[in-house]
Amino acid sequence: MKLAWILWLASVLPPQAADSLCLSTTLYLEARDQSVRGQKAVAEVALRRQDSGRWGSSMCEVVTARKQFAPTIVSPNTRLTNGEAWAQAVTIALEAERNWQLPAGQRTEIVPGASHFAALSIASPSWRNAYQVATIGDHTFFQVERLRPRS
């Protein structure tokens, strides 16, 4: 599957299905070579951002906000070819969404407060000196800003 096709499909699906597809795609592109824990942490950052509304109200808006996540950084012609990694990304995305629907005090949080993440071996973002929440696999998770759920 090409990334461009997946993003088109998300544009015609019902919102909940589209959001799950966008989160799954982001997990695949950002973290398919990471542990389950690392993939869950990436999902948590995206879900926290969605909650805040700062990058958009839907998951698809959040992960396609300019230069924020892989869907806008890699080529639209990128092919998602690893079926096993795709299946795992879908499973983790759906589990993360279910977890995030719980009241805040009942959720399992892996990177509490993290608003950003980066693979510092290949990226040097301007906010790399922010508070480091955790490092899981190749990703370091940061609390660059305190995100609060929309009122």
Side-chain angles (χ1 to χ4, degrees):
M1 294 179 285
K2 273 190 182 178
L3 175 59
W5 185 85
I6 292 170
L7 294 176
W8 171 83
L9 181 60
S11 75
V12 299
L13 286 171
Q16 187 172 357
D19 282 350
S20 295
L21 180 60
C22 286
L23 183 57
S24 299
T25 302
T26 299
L27 294 181
Y28 178 92
L29 293 171
E30 294 278 6
R32 70 183 170 276
D33 61 342
Q34 301 299 300
S35 66
V36 169
R37 182 175 170 78
Q39 290 183 53
K40 286 181 178 180
V42 168
E44 185 179 315
V45 168
L47 288 159
R48 186 171 290 114
R49 284 182 173 207
Q50 181 184 4
D51 258 6
S52 78
R54 185 162 184 267
W55 289 269
S57 58
S58 72
M59 180 56 64
C60 291
E61 289 173 348
V62 168
V63 302
T64 60
R66 188 172 180 269
K67 294 187 177 184
Q68 295 299 309
F69 289 94
T72 62
I73 297 170
V74 303
S75 166
N77 292 320
T78 298
R79 291 187 179 276
L80 287 68
T81 58
N82 184 331
E84 188 175 318
W86 173 253
Q88 184 172 7
V90 169
T91 298
I92 291 169
L94 294 173
E95 287 174 4
E97 288 172 330
R98 277 192 298 274
N99 176 57
W100 208 254
Q101 288 171 354
L102 296 171
Q106 295 177 22
R107 295 175 186 156
T108 300
E109 292 189 40
I110 296 168
V111 287
S115 59
H116 293 66
F117 65 91
L120 297 178
S121 62
I122 60 171
S124 187
S126 61
W127 39 262
R128 68 186 169 280
N129 293 322
Y131 175 73
Q132 290 187 15
V133 175
T135 298
I136 302 171
D138 295 339
H139 291 127
T140 302
F141 295 82
F142 299 88
Q143 184 176 36
V144 176
E145 52 194 289
R146 294 188 187 274
L147 299 179
R148 304 234 185 281
R150 287 171 282 195
S151 306

